[in-house]
Amino acid sequence: MVNVAIMGHGTVGSGVAELIIKNSNHINREIKTELRLKHILDLRKFEGLSYSDRFTDDFNVILNDKEVDIVVETMGGLHPAYDFVKACLLAGKSVVTSNKELVAEKGVELIKIAEEKNVNFLFEASVGGGIPVIRPICQCLAANEISEIKGILNGTTNFILNKMVTENMDFSDALKIAQDKGYAEKDPTADIEGHDACRKICILAALAFGKHVYPEQVKCEGVTGVSLTDIEYANTLGYAIKLIGKAKKNSDGTVSVSVAPMLVSHEHLLSGVNGVFNAISVIGDAVDEVIFYGRGAGKMPTASAVVADVMDAAKHLKARKYISWEEGSDSYVAEKDEPTVLYVYIKTCDFKKTSADIENLFPNSLLIKNEHSGEIAFLTGREPESSLNEKIDKIFADNKKILHTI
Amino acid sequence: MVNVAIMGHGTVGSGVAELIIKNSNHINREIKTELRLKHILDLRKFEGLSYSDRFTDDFNVILNDKEVDIVVETMGGLHPAYDFVKACLLAGKSVVTSNKELVAEKGVELIKIAEEKNVNFLFEASVGGGIPVIRPICQCLAANEISEIKGILNGTTNFILNKMVTENMDFSDALKIAQDKGYAEKDPTADIEGHDACRKICILAALAFGKHVYPEQVKCEGVTGVSLTDIEYANTLGYAIKLIGKAKKNSDGTVSVSVAPMLVSHEHLLSGVNGVFNAISVIGDAVDEVIFYGRGAGKMPTASAVVADVMDAAKHLKARKYISWEEGSDSYVAEKDEPTVLYVYIKTCDFKKTSADIENLFPNSLLIKNEHSGEIAFLTGREPESSLNEKIDKIFADNKKILHTI
């Protein structure tokens, strides 16, 4: 018998409890022992559940119960989640978490403690919800040197951008619908400013390249600046606009990490990822590109990933799984002046002058002109970003907006 | 130190040898020991390689070498691969294979021997080439009851169908290009008749539902009957035609398994899987749908999956991984009369009569009519397949073709 405690009976935590109970036959058969849900930590009372008797509001009940082998953390936020998880690991308990903030901020320290105590610290649910991505990267692609990892990591913003294009809708109206449907919080900052995607790309970068990247090291731009016009122009040029988290290994050993709305060619599978779905693309030297797609959030999909980790921990109580990376450094994350293609949107009061500038500076670019509104949108050729920016600076305009392509 | 032998130095086997040597630093760091390529079995001589000294043409050299912990089988075919793999497992060696025919025909027996001998029998590369799919299903989705698994499992036919639509080309011309590019064999039967996809869906069905499905139990239809006209009509109706392997769990415990060209809605991500790429969709009760995408074949992608299995086996020499299923039975695989939507193509000499029949029998169906050529294509509503077939039988026509939708 393996005893499990859950800390936090919110959306994900209650899904974990339900899934452990609902699929117990299946789970016990797979792990060849009985998985028992022993405690649930929450300050609230939950009456009328089949497991209402297992609630406690005292963390020490879990910490001091020698029978508890695995603790699930689904509280979210940094405190007290960090303090509780650390204490559990130090007490020799394996921990499974869905908390991306915790892993992105404290992952390297918690992994080290888990190693020292020979217990598991698993966090498949922290990136991509139910999509299997962390374990496949660590295990299935283990023979590869990974060069790049990128993806649609936030379902809320993907829903909003998608709604804008399918319903011909402004950002604020699409956000409102996302809030009405429960996809976006009342305070949607973490999603729409890219902070959520940023934490996830930090975790993926650490896994893929072996060193911790902190969210504050990442250039992070949200989707609030994306207009319906941009989306329509991009579409006409053969691209979708998606909020992309991207991490790339540089030849000098540093990594470039960014979060921003980017143009994705209609030829690329990521462009077809719609609604609240997420997808993560990994490029390895042997395997080339692989993509993992599914529900990046939600009660049961996320619980699916948490319970899979619990099962894995239960099977490896005495043979710790290796998921680890090292501390990074300030200079480890670096912006590089790489060849790239940019999308440029311009509004001008002198259409002729601006047109002439563009044709002069970017003679072979793909262009959309709207003389009536004074708008021009185009894709540059592939050149180092600094040289593209120098040229773009020279174009006469009232207003310019620049987006990257993936 | 862990010693590895490779049986079969063809496309995949040579990729495995190259990858083990090229990424040795990375691999050894991950598995925390040294992986040594000790023997390669092949009847041919390979001069001038950095590892030319390690070849042997005698299987007993590998079988009797007590230092060899892991044997890689990349010979393909059933014999002598089966005999060699069985002998290695019985001798207490772990085996990693990319051989789908071997796993589809003999998997249940070999898994049982591996269990008895407490060694690993791993075969990630046998389905989806480099795409992580077998391990994610077994581990990451372990908390789910899987209800359906389906996918584009053969890159050659996907390339051909894709070429037909993008270049407005007949099947035979597209096949010729696939052969010229080395994607299709001189004798393309196994690919175009669906046998390759059939072996893979058998393996996936066994993994997902726990019992062996033999290729001869599966209704298998290839792509030779798909015409450019079908592809164009499907496209106009909002669908792509893909060769799909599909396995579905029925409520009575049986499974329905089939391989056939099917219509995939443009809304579904599988419709955007082009060229030689593969993708596998899994539906679980908690996670909903997840999709794995990547290169389903090729030297280095397949080698990537093989070497990842070798690394996993090396890490678990004394703690066998659980991948297992039971023997199936004749009655375990069953066709069911489920509600479905069919695509129907009709050629008629009496356009008026046929049109009237269709409008009468399928009043709300999505229709394409070409009076000039006497062709009508349409999608039925969702009804049990038997009742759809009864109705279709009643339509006046010279020629009918029916395809499933996924």
Side-chain angles (χ1 to χ4, degrees):
Chain A
M1 165 129 57
V2 174
N3 286 289
V4 177
I6 299 174
M7 305 194 296
H9 192 259
T11 306
V12 177
S14 62
V16 172
E18 283 171 31
L19 194 56
I20 287 177
I21 290 164
K22 177 181 168 227
N23 285 1
S24 67
N25 285 341
H26 171 75
I27 290 170
N28 295 341
R29 194 170 61 240
E30 286 287 321
I31 65 171
K32 302 184 180 179
T33 178
E34 190 194 336
L35 196 70
R36 184 172 66 151
L37 177 57
K38 193 169 179 191
H39 305 294
I40 301 171
L41 177 69
D42 206 294
L43 296 177
R44 297 164 292 181
K45 298 263 168 276
F46 294 87
E47 307 287 349
L49 298 173
S50 67
Y51 52 91
S52 285
D53 57 320
R54 287 171 247 186
F55 278 84
T56 176
D57 58 7
D58 181 2
F59 169 63
N60 287 309
V61 169
I62 292 170
L63 184 67
N64 297 328
D65 186 340
K66 294 251 178 297
E67 282 186 0
V68 170
D69 308 293
I70 302 168
V71 178
V72 171
E73 187 274 302
T74 46
M75 297 187 286
L78 213 47
H79 297 284
Y82 164 66
D83 315 274
F84 288 2
V85 165
K86 188 172 170 178
C88 289
L89 291 171
L90 286 169
K93 299 178 193 302
S94 287
V95 173
V96 172
T97 182
S98 61
N99 187 334
K100 49 204 167 278
E101 194 175 353
L102 177 68
V103 181
E105 295 288 351
K106 302 290 184 183
V108 72
E109 181 193 353
L110 296 172
I111 284 168
K112 196 151 171 273
I113 297 172
E115 280 180 348
E116 284 163 10
K117 292 288 170 180
N118 200 33
V119 293
N120 296 286
F121 177 59
L122 301 174
F123 41 86
E124 177 67 67
S126 68
V127 180
I131 309 171
V133 57
I134 290 180
R135 193 170 281 100
I137 290 173
C138 293
Q139 294 189 354
C140 307
L141 305 179
N144 285 262
E145 293 278 1
I146 294 172
S147 58
E148 189 175 305
I149 186 160
K150 61 180 174 288
I152 296 165
L153 302 170
N154 180 272
T156 308
T157 46
N158 201 54
F159 175 86
I160 291 171
L161 292 173
N162 195 213
K163 208 77 190 163
M164 288 169 75
V165 64
T166 56
E167 318 253 321
N168 215 32
M169 194 178 264
D170 275 338
F171 176 82
S172 55
D173 294 332
L175 171 60
K176 179 78 175 45
I177 293 180
Q179 286 172 320
D180 290 347
K181 282 186 177 278
Y183 296 151
E185 308 279 332
K186 260 191 183 172
D187 175 2
T189 313
D191 289 325
I192 66 177
E193 296 298 348
H195 304 154
D196 175 76
C198 181
R199 289 169 189 145
K200 291 169 181 169
I201 195 65
C202 286
I203 297 170
L204 291 175
L207 277 168
F209 307 130
K211 287 189 182 172
H212 202 94
V213 174
Y214 289 91
E216 54 269 29
Q217 293 179 288
V218 176
K219 203 173 142 187
C220 178
E221 185 189 334
V223 295
T224 51
V226 178
S227 69
L228 181 55
T229 313
D230 291 320
I231 292 178
E232 286 168 344
Y233 285 165
N235 192 43
T236 308
L237 293 165
Y239 291 75
I241 298 183
K242 300 286 182 188
L243 182 67
I244 299 286
K246 183 174 171 180
K248 196 167 175 288
K249 192 161 192 177
N250 302 315
S251 52
D252 63 0
T254 63
V255 296
S256 298
V257 189
S258 62
V259 173
M262 299 187 197
L263 273 72
V264 181
S265 161
H266 287 155
E267 302 287 304
H268 196 283
L269 207 66
L270 287 185
S271 72
V273 175
N274 295 325
V276 292
F277 282 83
N278 283 196
I280 294 110
S281 150
V282 186
I283 298 177
D285 60 348
V287 78
D288 194 9
E289 182 169 28
V290 294
I291 296 177
F292 306 94
Y293 164 92
R295 291 193 178 273
K299 177 176 174 166
M300 295 317 286
T302 310
S304 158
V306 171
V307 178
D309 272 353
V310 169
M311 291 168 69
D312 209 13
K315 289 201 274 187
H316 292 88
L317 282 182
K318 283 164 196 164
R320 217 185 58 77
K321 304 278 291 184
Y322 316 109
I323 297 188
S324 76
W325 59 73
E326 296 164 20
E327 189 59 90
S329 67
D330 285 350
S331 60
Y332 174 59
V333 181
E335 278 184 61
K336 295 285 169 181
D337 188 21
E338 299 275 327
T340 186
V341 174
L342 298 175
Y343 161 89
V344 185
Y345 164 86
I346 284 173
K347 205 168 164 81
T348 177
C349 60
D350 189 340
F351 204 78
K352 267 209 182 128
K353 183 168 166 45
T354 302
S355 294
D357 282 352
I358 293 170
E359 270 152 48
N360 189 26
L361 289 156
F362 298 97
N364 298 312
S365 64
L366 207 55
L367 264 173
I368 302 174
K369 293 185 179 190
N370 184 343
E371 187 149 9
H372 176 71
S373 63
E375 290 175 314
I376 302 177
F378 66 97
L379 284 171
T380 68
R382 184 172 295 275
E383 276 182 57
E385 196 167 340
S386 61
S387 108
L388 289 175
N389 282 326
E390 259 176 49
K391 288 185 185 177
I392 295 165
D393 273 348
K394 290 182 191 155
I395 300 171
F396 175 83
D398 301 311
N399 230 324
K400 286 176 196 165
K401 189 191 299 184
I402 300 172
L403 295 176
H404 284 82
T405 56
I406 67 163
Chain B
M1 163 128 56
V2 174
N3 286 290
V4 177
I6 299 173
M7 305 193 296
H9 192 259
T11 305
V12 177
S14 61
V16 172
E18 282 171 31
L19 194 55
I20 287 176
I21 290 165
K22 176 181 169 228
N23 285 2
S24 67
N25 285 340
H26 171 74
I27 290 169
N28 294 341
R29 192 169 62 239
E30 287 285 323
I31 64 171
K32 303 184 180 180
T33 178
E34 190 193 335
L35 194 70
R36 185 172 64 148
L37 177 57
K38 194 167 179 194
H39 305 294
I40 301 171
L41 177 69
D42 207 295
L43 296 178
R44 296 165 293 182
K45 297 263 168 279
F46 293 87
E47 308 286 350
L49 300 172
S50 68
Y51 52 92
S52 285
D53 56 322
R54 285 172 251 186
F55 279 83
T56 175
D57 58 8
D58 181 3
F59 169 62
N60 288 307
V61 169
I62 292 170
L63 184 67
N64 298 328
D65 186 340
K66 295 250 179 297
E67 283 186 0
V68 171
D69 308 291
I70 302 167
V71 178
V72 171
E73 186 274 303
T74 46
M75 296 186 286
L78 213 47
H79 296 285
Y82 164 65
D83 316 274
F84 288 2
V85 165
K86 189 172 170 179
C88 288
L89 291 171
L90 286 169
K93 300 178 192 305
S94 287
V95 172
V96 172
T97 181
S98 62
N99 187 334
K100 51 205 165 274
E101 194 176 353
L102 178 67
V103 182
E105 295 287 352
K106 302 290 183 182
V108 72
E109 180 192 354
L110 297 171
I111 285 168
K112 197 151 170 274
I113 297 173
E115 281 180 347
E116 285 164 9
K117 292 290 172 181
N118 199 33
V119 294
N120 296 285
F121 177 59
L122 301 174
F123 41 86
E124 179 66 68
S126 68
V127 180
I131 309 171
V133 58
I134 289 180
R135 193 170 282 101
I137 290 173
C138 293
Q139 295 190 353
C140 308
L141 304 179
N144 286 262
E145 295 275 2
I146 295 172
S147 57
E148 189 175 304
I149 186 159
K150 60 180 174 288
I152 296 165
L153 303 170
N154 180 271
T156 307
T157 47
N158 201 54
F159 173 86
I160 291 171
L161 292 173
N162 195 212
K163 208 75 190 165
M164 287 169 75
V165 64
T166 55
E167 318 254 320
N168 216 32
M169 195 177 263
D170 276 337
F171 176 81
S172 55
D173 293 333
L175 170 61
K176 179 79 177 47
I177 293 178
Q179 286 173 319
D180 289 347
K181 282 186 176 281
Y183 297 151
E185 308 280 331
K186 259 192 184 171
D187 175 3
T189 312
D191 289 325
I192 64 176
E193 296 298 347
H195 304 154
D196 175 77
C198 181
R199 289 168 189 146
K200 292 169 181 168
I201 194 65
C202 287
I203 297 171
L204 293 174
L207 277 167
F209 307 129
K211 287 188 183 172
H212 201 94
V213 173
Y214 289 91
E216 52 270 31
Q217 294 180 286
V218 176
K219 204 173 139 186
C220 177
E221 185 190 333
V223 296
T224 51
V226 177
S227 69
L228 181 55
T229 312
D230 292 320
I231 292 178
E232 286 168 344
Y233 284 166
N235 191 44
T236 308
L237 293 165
Y239 292 76
I241 297 183
K242 300 286 184 187
L243 182 67
I244 299 287
K246 183 174 172 181
K248 197 166 175 287
K249 192 163 192 175
N250 301 316
S251 51
D252 62 1
T254 63
V255 296
S256 298
V257 189
S258 62
V259 173
M262 299 188 198
L263 272 72
V264 182
S265 161
H266 288 155
E267 302 286 303
H268 196 283
L269 206 66
L270 286 185
S271 73
V273 175
N274 294 326
V276 293
F277 282 84
N278 283 195
I280 294 110
S281 151
V282 186
I283 298 178
D285 60 349
V287 79
D288 194 9
E289 182 169 27
V290 295
I291 296 177
F292 306 94
Y293 164 92
R295 292 195 177 271
K299 177 175 174 167
M300 295 319 284
T302 310
S304 158
V306 170
V307 177
D309 272 353
V310 169
M311 291 167 70
D312 208 12
K315 288 201 273 188
H316 291 87
L317 282 182
K318 282 164 198 166
R320 215 185 58 77
K321 305 278 289 182
Y322 315 110
I323 299 189
S324 76
W325 60 73
E326 296 164 21
E327 188 60 88
S329 67
D330 284 350
S331 60
Y332 173 59
V333 181
E335 276 184 63
K336 295 284 170 183
D337 188 21
E338 299 275 329
T340 186
V341 174
L342 297 176
Y343 161 89
V344 185
Y345 164 87
I346 285 173
K347 203 169 167 82
T348 177
C349 60
D350 189 342
F351 203 78
K352 268 208 181 128
K353 183 167 168 43
T354 302
S355 295
D357 283 352
I358 294 171
E359 269 150 49
N360 190 26
L361 290 156
F362 297 98
N364 299 313
S365 64
L366 205 56
L367 265 173
I368 302 173
K369 293 184 180 191
N370 186 342
E371 188 151 6
H372 177 70
S373 64
E375 291 174 314
I376 303 178
F378 67 97
L379 283 171
T380 69
R382 184 173 295 275
E383 277 181 57
E385 196 168 340
S386 61
S387 105
L388 289 175
N389 282 325
E390 261 175 48
K391 289 186 185 177
I392 294 166
D393 273 348
K394 290 181 191 154
I395 301 171
F396 175 83
D398 301 311
N399 230 323
K400 287 176 195 164
K401 190 191 298 183
I402 301 172
L403 295 177
H404 283 83
T405 56
I406 66 162

